[in-house]
């Protein structure tokens, strides 16, 4: 058994930088005097760390506040322009690439639809790589941002991400026909990322529902909760399970495939190949298919427009379809309550946010009737706060987390 590695002065310095940087990022602006009790660091350590971070260009002054009988106290914050982040949402009908400053202010965005040939349930990974590459070039040019200022690129994908091997992250996306696609290696190949980007640019891949979950937990409707489930309803259905403040991954990072829990034995065929999955009833693709079977028709060229037309339709058949959908979703949420006992359930994803204003009340009613009474009374069910861009925001938090955990040493300007 190997002896534990001893912490060095360098480790201690980096840890102190991480503590100060994280506290200022999430709770700033703060003064040096406020940082002491909030970080449990001595005033000398605070002075040294702040001086380093200011010298590295990672902190900047943000005004001042009066103190009791003394000189005004200078407030500090993380400098938004000390680095840039990219978040990518690989959807099932399009690829979205967004460029952010360090405060997650959006600087540029590109939406590119997947080719029609990739929108029949089987997505060509080469098309995805091409669109990510083109999107990166576009957003950097549109915002006039130097490629060398990027801290990293986070990518949310519809599938299970396995990063345990030595060749980079591999994606298993059963519903889109991906069986062990080496997406990271494809992006790092000579014909992958734009040549102007740094060759060792950090890439972070994760399931799209989990990036959504991270965004809502850090900045949105999940903030402050220790046990929560963030549900994504888009073309398909997924979830991010937060247990004691941390995402629950499972044995092979596949935890949270809520859409493929069985709602009805022998029910509708699901894109995954099984029958009766929740996704086969409440995902946007399945909901539109059920509307067509009930006589519904739409003219919009994409799922978002088609779902808007469904919600605007006032026929009795459509009303019954939505009532049934609310009950299915309520039953699915009851399963989450009974299995995980969360204090909070957040419904997000572009389709979830479109359906929510109309269906949230009946969803809660159905969930209450299917869930165990006591845990349900301890749970709130609400809509996400971050809108349809939450997956890209969450993807961008992957390189942001590395930046904070490293004490800013992963910054292009960091020491």
């Amino acid at each position: 058994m190997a002896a534990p590695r001893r912490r060095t002065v360098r480790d201690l310095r980096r840890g102190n930088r991480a503590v100060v940087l994280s506290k200022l990022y999430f709770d700033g602006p703060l003064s040096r005097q406020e940082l002491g009790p909030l970080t449990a660091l001595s005033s000398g350590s605070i002075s040294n760390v702040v001086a380093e971070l200011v010298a590295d260009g990672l902190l900047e002054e943000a005004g001042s506040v009066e103190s009791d009988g003394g000189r005004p106290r200078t407030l500090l914050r993380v400098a938004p322009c000390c680095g840039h982040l990219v978040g990518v949402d690989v959807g099932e009908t399009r690829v979205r690439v967004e460029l952010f400053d360090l405060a997650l202010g959006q600087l540029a965005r590109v939406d590119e639809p997947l080719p029609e040939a990739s929108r029949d349930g089987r997505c060509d990974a080469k098309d995805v790589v091409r669109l990510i590459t083109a999107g990166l070039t576009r957003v950097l040019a549109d915002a006039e941002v130097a490629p060398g200022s990027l801290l990293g690129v986070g990518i949310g994908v519809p599938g299970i991400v396995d990063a345990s091997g030595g060749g980079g992250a591999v994606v298993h996306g059963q519903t889109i026909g991906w069986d062990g696609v080496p997406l990271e290696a494809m992006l790092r190949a000579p014909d992958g990322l734009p040549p102007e980007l740094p060759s060792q640019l950090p890439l972070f891949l994760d399931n799209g529902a989990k990036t959504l979950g991270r965004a809502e937990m850090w900045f949105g409707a999940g903030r402050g909760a220790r046990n929560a489930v963030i549900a994504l309803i888009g073309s398909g259905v997924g979830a991010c399970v937060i247990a004691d403040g941390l995402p629950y991954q499972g044995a092979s990072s596949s935890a949270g495939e809520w859409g493929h829990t069985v709602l009805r034995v022998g029910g509708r065929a699901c894109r995954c190949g099984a029958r009766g999955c929740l996704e086969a009833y409440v995902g946007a693709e399945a909901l539109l298919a059920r509307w067509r079977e009930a006589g519904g028709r739409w003219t919009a060229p994409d799922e978002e427009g088609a779902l808007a037309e469904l919600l605007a339709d006032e026929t009795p058949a459509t009303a019954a379809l939505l009532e049934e959908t609310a009950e299915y979703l309520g039953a699915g949420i009851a399963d989450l309550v009974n299995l995980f006992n969360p204090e909070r359930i957040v419904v997000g994803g572009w389709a979830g946010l479109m359906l929510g204003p109309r269906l949230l009340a009946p969803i809660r009613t159905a969930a209450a009737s299917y869930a165990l009474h006591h845990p349900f009374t301890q749970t709130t069910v609400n809509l996400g706060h971050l809108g349809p861009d939450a997956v890209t925001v969450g993807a961008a938090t992957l390189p942001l987390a590395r930046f904070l955990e490293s004490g800013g040493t992963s910054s292009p300007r960091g020491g």
Side-chain angles (χ1 to χ4, degrees):
M1 180 178 177
R5 188 175 75 88
R6 294 180 61 184
R7 292 195 71 196
T8 65
V9 173
R10 184 183 180 90
D11 293 331
L12 181 61
R13 171 175 166 263
R14 181 175 295 170
N16 288 347
R17 285 171 60 108
V19 169
V20 171
L21 204 58
S22 295
K23 183 55 66 175
L24 284 169
Y25 189 86
F26 290 108
D27 299 323
L30 297 167
S31 68
R32 290 170 177 82
Q33 291 80 359
E34 290 172 310
L35 281 168
L38 291 173
T39 61
L41 296 176
S42 68
S43 58
S45 293
I46 292 293
S47 294
N48 291 335
V49 170
V50 167
E52 286 183 8
L53 294 173
V54 169
D56 288 341
L58 305 184
L59 299 185
E60 64 183 17
E61 294 186 0
S64 62
V65 291
E66 295 294 329
S67 61
D68 295 334
R71 296 169 57 187
R73 294 179 175 181
T74 300
L75 296 176
L76 299 165
R77 68 177 180 185
V78 177
C81 294
C82 68
H84 295 91
L85 309 159
V86 170
V88 179
D89 176 8
V90 178
E92 297 176 11
T93 60
R94 54 103 184 101
V95 171
R96 174 173 293 163
V97 181
E98 294 191 42
L99 177 69
F100 302 92
D101 63 21
L102 204 62
L104 289 177
Q106 186 192 99
L107 303 178
R109 167 176 148 176
V110 171
D111 275 310
E112 289 290 347
L114 286 165
E116 289 296 328
S118 293
R119 300 174 67 178
D120 60 354
R122 291 297 180 264
C123 181
D124 190 331
K126 292 180 181 178
D127 287 331
V128 170
V129 169
R130 176 177 56 80
L131 293 177
I132 291 174
T133 298
L136 283 167
T137 300
R138 280 267 308 279
V139 294
L140 290 169
D142 290 351
E144 299 181 345
V145 165
S149 72
L150 284 183
L151 299 176
V153 177
I155 304 171
V157 296
I160 299 165
V161 177
D162 181 1
S164 61
V170 173
V171 182
H172 301 271
Q174 194 166 321
T175 60
I176 58 172
W178 287 14
D179 183 12
V181 169
L183 189 60
E184 183 175 348
M186 293 173 69
L187 286 165
R188 293 199 182 278
D191 57 348
L193 292 175
E196 64 269 21
L197 293 181
S199 59
Q200 296 304 312
L201 178 70
L203 300 178
F204 304 85
L205 278 70
D206 205 349
N207 173 267
K210 292 177 180 175
T211 71
L212 168 75
R214 183 187 286 263
E216 289 287 355
M217 291 300 294
W218 277 24
F219 307 111
R223 189 168 187 183
R226 297 292 297 172
N227 295 279
V229 179
I230 315 299
L232 183 153
I233 305 172
S235 295
V237 176
C240 175
V241 179
I242 305 297
D244 198 22
L246 297 172
Y248 178 67
Q249 302 288 354
S252 59
S253 298
S254 69
E257 290 292 337
W258 176 51
H260 301 291
T261 55
V262 176
L263 194 65
R264 178 179 292 179
V265 174
R268 294 178 64 88
C270 180
R271 300 181 303 170
C272 73
R275 303 192 72 86
C277 297
L278 177 66
E279 183 172 298
Y281 293 90
V282 304
E285 182 178 306
L287 180 54
L288 290 170
R290 291 169 57 222
W291 189 37
R292 182 188 293 113
E293 292 164 8
R297 295 291 182 269
W298 60 88
T299 60
D302 54 30
E303 285 184 344
E304 289 90 337
L307 188 58
E309 291 183 41
L310 184 158
L311 289 169
D313 185 74
E314 298 181 356
T315 63
T318 301
L321 175 69
L322 288 171
E323 182 179 347
E324 183 182 55
T325 300
E327 184 161 12
Y328 284 140
L329 268 171
I333 286 172
D335 288 341
L336 295 175
V337 171
N338 294 343
L339 281 169
F340 299 111
N341 185 208
E343 62 196 275
R344 207 173 297 178
I345 294 176
V346 177
V347 178
W350 67 264
L353 295 176
M354 288 181 69
L355 293 168
R358 179 160 176 180
L359 297 188
L360 192 59
I363 286 171
R364 287 174 176 146
T365 300
S369 68
Y370 286 105
L372 293 171
H373 176 70
H374 180 69
F376 186 76
T377 61
Q378 312 302 311
T379 303
T380 61
V381 182
N382 292 303
L383 293 180
H385 290 173
L386 300 182
D389 285 349
V391 173
T392 48
V393 172
T397 66
L398 299 174
L400 173 60
R402 182 191 176 193
F403 168 81
L404 296 174
E405 290 164 3
S406 71
T409 59
S410 62
S411 166
R413 302 184 193 178

